[in-house]
Amino acid sequence: MSNLATLPKNGNLAKPNRVSNFPSFSTWFDDFSLNDFPALFSSNFNTGMSLPKVNIKEVADAFVVEMAVPGLKKSDFNINLENNALSISAELRENNEEKNDDYTRKEFGYSSFKRTFTLPETVNDSKINATYNEGILTVHLPKKEEAKQKPPRAIKIS
């Protein structure tokens, strides 16, 4: 970052024209920290589960999506392809009940996530497959034949 100009907190280079001793609206708003409400502004409102981390890598003949989602079963996932968009989602519902002579205790929970990725035109969507092993969901997106990397070859000069 350059130290050529020092900006005031409101980001304005012009000298503030203050009539009173009250801070300008932009200065007041800059002082208001969203860090005071981390759960409110950084969580995913639609889910009780944080979004899983994803690695996407390109290899010679495919794209590979790896998603870290431990503790789930294969049957918990929904993987759909629609209009060149791949969506991966999961939904978990828990309902535990414990009955005793003196009390009944019920606990329930719900969590879900959904990640959507726009696929490049080079993906052969009829050959997409997925595996789930040791907490990692892997989606293999093979490339169309014309998009695959071809090995280098020498060209002779005539």
Side-chain angles (χ1 to χ4, degrees):
M1 179 166 187
S2 173
N3 291 330
L4 295 177
T6 304
L7 292 176
K9 202 168 195 181
N10 65 3
N12 190 352
L13 286 174
K15 192 172 184 178
N17 184 9
R18 295 195 179 150
V19 177
S20 67
N21 289 331
F22 290 108
S24 69
F25 178 73
S26 64
T27 302
W28 176 82
F29 193 72
D30 287 342
D31 289 339
F32 182 77
S33 172
L34 295 180
N35 291 334
D36 295 336
F37 304 101
L40 180 62
F41 291 103
S42 64
S43 69
N44 185 344
F45 287 106
N46 298 329
T47 68
M49 178 186 294
S50 62
L51 289 176
K53 304 282 186 193
V54 175
N55 292 332
I56 301 174
K57 61 184 173 183
E58 182 177 6
V59 294
D61 62 345
F63 296 94
V64 180
V65 177
E66 297 172 324
M67 183 178 288
V69 280
L72 300 179
K73 301 177 295 222
K74 286 188 224 183
S75 60
D76 293 332
F77 295 102
N78 293 311
I79 303 174
N80 297 305
L81 180 65
E82 183 179 347
N83 295 329
N84 225 28
L86 177 75
S87 65
I88 303 170
S89 62
E91 186 175 301
L92 295 173
R93 295 176 190 263
E94 286 185 83
N95 197 0
N96 298 322
E97 184 174 342
E98 180 181 324
K99 289 188 176 189
N100 199 331
D101 293 338
D102 299 330
Y103 65 91
T104 298
R105 181 176 67 99
K106 276 184 137 178
E107 291 186 17
F108 65 93
Y110 174 83
S111 59
S112 67
F113 74 85
K114 182 173 185 177
R115 299 285 310 254
T116 302
F117 308 94
T118 301
L119 299 181
E121 294 290 328
T122 57
V123 170
N124 184 348
D125 60 4
S126 65
K127 295 188 176 180
I128 295 173
N129 63 49
T131 58
Y132 183 65
N133 188 24
E134 295 187 12
I136 304 294
L137 176 68
T138 303
V139 181
H140 189 261
L141 307 163
K143 293 180 182 177
K144 293 177 181 173
E145 199 59 43
E146 62 271 13
K148 291 181 182 177
Q149 287 181 352
K150 297 181 179 39
R153 64 179 178 99
I155 299 174
K156 293 185 180 183
I157 301 172
S158 56

